[in-house]
Amino acid sequence: MRKMYQVDLPPDPKEVAAIEARRNQEKERQSRFFNVRTRVMGVDVEALNNQVEERKLQEATERSKEAAYGTNQVRYDLVAQMLEKEQAERTRRLAKKVQNFREQRQKLRNRCELDFWNSNQLWREFPAYLGDNAPYYGQASLQCFSGEDLERATYLRMQQEQFQYSLERQLQEQQQARVDETCADMLNDQLRLAMDMRAAQLAKLEESCRIAMMAATASANKAQAVKLAEQQRQEHQRQQEANLVEVQNQITSDLLTENPQVAQNPVAPHRVLPYCWKGMTPEQRATIRKVQETQHHEKEAQRQAEQALDAKWESQAINLAQAAKELEEQERELCAEFRRGLGSFNQQLAMEQKAQQNYLNSIIYTNQPTAQYHLQFNTNSH
């Protein structure tokens, strides 16, 4: 069986404050609606005007917030467009530098590796047979053999020139790579510095917008607080005036008098007005006490009758128990007598069976069969 444990999480302060604010508003609304002194039957013009003012203030606050958000959004869009343009320009410059490097340093005639994308390059580089001394054929082509190389010095000189050219090209490539790396580091530093400056500008803009929003919110809260204080003062003043009117009405009316005629209902004389009733008269109290005494006597008589009936039922139950006990004793005696008669009958029957068995054993079954009787019995059977 899986158990569930309840975890008590701390409540959110903002949610608690919102709930408390709604509860206070509801209490204020109920006090305004259910207060019979200040309740107005029909449309409450003052409450409607207050709601309209609150709605206007809320709309103005929302418009100011939306305007601030719109300004921030426009600024952010401009900054993003500028950053995109800078990134595109840097990408274009880098691609142009790479293309220039390829055109200047990576020409087709300077390559040492094989072009894998052109499989017929070797066929175009080597022409048809030109003679035994053609430089395109080596020993494996069976065109020249050991001891017949007449242009060895030329080949060695060409190899040295090719090696020197390759070495110079490698040195130039290393120097260009170092220069390109230095330029790339410089460009990265400049880009990082520009991004830091842009981030600082954005932070300043955000801080200024936040300060403006806080100032607008503070001014709105201050105006709302002043309005709420004025409403509370007016409400307190109305409450004081209502209390004074209520005290005067209580003093000058029949509510505080002891006249019992004030509490009688003019429509139904047998009823009273709850808000004017001062209590019962001595005659009414005497009548109620008399009725209570009569009810007490009736209740006592009813209780005695119930006790007598319970005693009667109890005596009857005792008599029935005694009768049941006598019947049980009679039943036990009859059962014992029946068992005694059955025992004597069984004993007599056993004596008769024993006498019959003795008669059979002593008189009927006295002659034993001989071998001749068995032989004759077998012969007759065949």
Side-chain angles (χ1 to χ4, degrees), residues 3-253:
K3 296 182 179 179
M4 301 296 293
Y5 297 96
Q6 183 179 3
V7 181
D8 295 332
L9 298 177
D12 190 2
K14 295 183 179 178
E15 185 177 358
V16 173
I19 293 173
E20 188 65 25
R22 288 198 298 269
R23 186 180 292 112
N24 294 332
Q25 291 177 1
E26 183 65 21
K27 289 181 179 178
E28 183 180 358
R29 187 179 68 86
Q30 290 181 1
S31 64
R32 187 173 65 253
F33 286 168
F34 297 114
N35 191 357
V36 296
R37 300 173 183 173
T38 59
R39 183 171 60 189
V40 179
M41 301 302 293
V43 179
D44 192 356
V45 180
E46 184 179 358
L48 294 178
N49 293 331
N50 294 333
Q51 291 179 2
V52 170
E53 293 295 333
E54 291 177 0
R55 184 64 179 177
K56 289 182 179 179
L57 180 61
Q58 185 178 2
E59 290 178 355
T61 306
E62 291 178 357
R63 283 196 297 271
S64 63
K65 289 182 180 179
E66 290 177 358
Y69 291 155
T71 306
N72 294 334
Q73 189 67 28
V74 171
R75 292 177 181 175
Y76 295 156
D77 292 340
L78 292 175
V79 171
Q81 291 177 4
M82 293 172 63
L83 291 176
E84 289 178 358
K85 289 181 180 179
E86 291 180 0
Q87 183 68 24
E89 184 66 23
R90 287 195 298 272
T91 304
R92 188 184 63 78
R93 289 198 299 268
L94 182 61
K96 186 176 180 180
K97 290 181 180 180
V98 172
Q99 185 65 26
N100 293 333
F101 177 78
R102 289 176 179 175
E103 291 177 356
Q104 294 176 5
R105 302 297 180 181
Q106 295 181 353
K107 294 182 179 180
L108 183 63
R109 64 176 180 272
N110 297 331
R111 290 187 303 175
C112 296
E113 66 276 5
L114 178 63
D115 189 2
F116 292 99
W117 301 104
N118 190 0
S119 59
N120 297 324
Q121 180 180 2
L122 296 177
W123 294 98
R124 290 196 299 269
E125 289 180 357
F126 294 95
Y129 178 72
L130 299 177
D132 294 339
N133 296 327
Y136 301 103
Y137 303 104
Q139 296 179 1
S141 60
L142 300 178
Q143 299 295 327
C144 59
F145 299 94
S146 177
E148 296 182 358
D149 190 5
L150 303 178
E151 298 180 357
R152 181 178 179 81
T154 304
Y155 294 155
L156 291 176
R157 182 174 55 79
M158 292 176 63
Q159 288 179 359
Q160 290 178 0
E161 291 178 355
Q162 183 68 26
F163 178 75
Q164 184 178 0
Y165 175 75
S166 300
L167 183 60
E168 292 177 355
R169 189 180 64 178
Q170 290 179 2
L171 291 175
Q172 291 177 0
E173 289 179 356
Q174 291 178 359
Q175 292 177 359
Q176 187 65 30
R178 286 194 292 271
V179 171
D180 293 340
E181 185 178 359
T182 304
C183 293
D185 294 338
M186 186 182 300
L187 290 174
N188 290 329
D189 295 337
Q190 293 178 359
L191 177 60
R192 191 176 297 106
L193 181 61
M195 291 178 67
D196 293 339
M197 293 176 63
R198 185 62 61 184
Q201 293 177 1
L202 292 176
K204 290 181 180 179
L205 290 174
E206 185 177 0
E207 184 67 20
S208 62
C209 293
R210 188 177 65 83
I211 292 172
M213 290 178 62
M214 290 177 63
T217 305
S219 62
N221 293 334
K222 185 177 180 180
Q224 190 173 4
V226 172
K227 183 179 179 181
L228 183 60
E230 182 64 23
Q231 291 179 358
Q232 291 179 356
R233 187 187 65 78
Q234 293 178 1
E235 182 66 23
H236 181 71
Q237 185 177 359
R238 287 196 298 269
Q239 186 72 20
Q240 293 293 332
E241 293 176 356
N243 292 334
L244 292 175
V245 173
E246 182 68 19
V247 171
Q248 187 176 2
N249 291 333
Q250 292 291 338
I251 293 173
T252 57
S253 65

